[in-house]
Amino acid sequence: MDVETAPALALTENAAKRVAWLIKQEDDSSLMLRVSVSGGGCSGFQYGFSFDKAVNPDDRTFERDGVVAVIDETSLELLAGSEIDFVEDLGGSSFQIRNPNASSSCGCGSSFAI
């Protein structure tokens, strides 16, 4: 019997809808959401989002509702089990990452510590 496991990185329905809308605005259906982690930010690491057309040899891909997210193996180690959401509220709208590996994060939510 095969045991189902949760994806290493997940997009919420709201995040997938927003990425699909942004890709439509770019008028290029070959674009994928690239998620990355780099050193910096006020907590030690910072999240990065961009569009990309290429999948590199060390990349993993995840799909939700036709939207593809791409992440390199090194970043995935820091984000394993995370969920990417798109939130709209009175303070504005943004992509947010719920990272179970983060021991702390900054007030703006764009950087974290392990």
Side-chain angles (χ1 to χ4, degrees):
M1 177 171 105
D2 291 329
V3 176
E4 299 243 351
T5 58
L9 183 70
L11 291 171
T12 65
E13 182 180 356
N14 281 344
K17 284 180 181 178
R18 184 60 174 192
V19 172
W21 182 84
L22 291 168
I23 289 171
K24 186 175 180 180
Q25 299 307 302
E26 294 293 321
D27 196 27
D28 187 346
S29 62
S30 67
L31 293 174
M32 299 172 283
L33 176 68
R34 177 161 297 277
V35 181
S36 61
V37 174
S38 60
C42 46
S43 295
F45 294 101
Q46 60 187 2
Y47 302 116
F49 298 100
S50 61
F51 284 125
D52 203 339
K53 293 182 181 186
V55 176
N56 300 318
D58 70 330
D59 285 339
R60 297 263 317 270
T61 59
F62 302 91
E63 188 270 337
R64 168 82 188 247
D65 301 333
V67 170
V68 177
V70 180
I71 186 169
D72 64 273
E73 288 286 344
T74 303
S75 295
L76 185 58
E77 289 177 20
L78 298 168
L79 292 177
S82 293
E83 180 180 70
I84 300 171
D85 195 9
F86 182 75
V87 178
E88 293 181 277
D89 58 26
L90 292 176
S93 59
S94 64
F95 285 99
Q96 296 180 358
I97 295 183
R98 292 182 195 96
N99 184 348
N101 307 303
S103 62
S104 65
S105 62
C106 67
C108 66
S110 64
S111 68
F112 67 100
I114 298 285

